[in-house]
Amino acid sequence: MSGSPSLAGRTILVAESNVVSREVACGLLAETGAFVLTADDGLKVVGMFSPDVDHPPPVDIVLMAARMPSLDGYEIARLLRLRPGCRNLPIIAMLARAEPEEQKRCRMAGMDDYIAK
């Protein structure tokens, strides 16, 4: 697409518990030249950015399902926004239903944008 920012060389974390959705997202992103990391659980996402981790992954963008086990995407976004290194990290929600109330929840949780699955 012309005018779209390039994802080539960027590291994108796909946080999605559904195997099929995760594989589709990873496949599409890999075609753009992005390097893709994955997490299938909310606690794993938060753990990747824990202050106890010596070298957190150099993630450029988080693409995250709103509904995940252990912690949902909204809570994950709120927790990440409290971490100094994550305050400006782009977080994009993946929503099964991009209804206005879900979109509002995304913004209130600190997510930057959303896409519909």
Side-chain angles (χ1 to χ4, degrees):
M1 286 187 193
S2 107
S4 296
S6 174
L7 297 177
R10 305 255 181 168
T11 301
I12 301 174
L13 171 60
V14 174
E16 170 64 73
S17 59
N18 181 285
V19 175
V20 174
S21 294
R22 189 172 57 246
E23 288 177 359
V24 169
C26 290
L28 291 170
L29 291 168
E31 288 179 11
T32 70
F35 178 69
V36 182
L37 302 173
T38 63
D40 61 359
D41 178 275
L43 289 175
K44 289 179 185 175
V45 176
V46 173
M48 293 172 79
F49 297 95
S50 169
D52 299 334
V53 175
D54 289 333
H55 303 287
V59 173
D60 296 304
I61 301 168
V62 176
L63 187 60
M64 180 166 48
R67 311 259 186 252
M68 298 217 339
S70 65
L71 291 174
D72 67 26
Y74 306 108
E75 187 61 23
I76 296 165
R78 283 190 276 280
L79 290 170
L80 290 181
R81 291 299 185 220
L82 295 174
R83 308 236 161 112
C86 297
R87 289 192 179 130
N88 296 316
L89 177 65
I91 301 174
I92 301 169
M94 294 188 294
L95 302 173
R97 294 180 304 221
E99 297 171 354
E101 60 272 5
E102 289 294 316
Q103 296 170 20
K104 184 177 179 180
R105 281 186 75 192
C106 290
R107 300 268 191 234
M108 290 179 69
M111 296 179 184
D112 296 289
D113 212 341
Y114 66 90
I115 59 170
K117 293 187 207 182

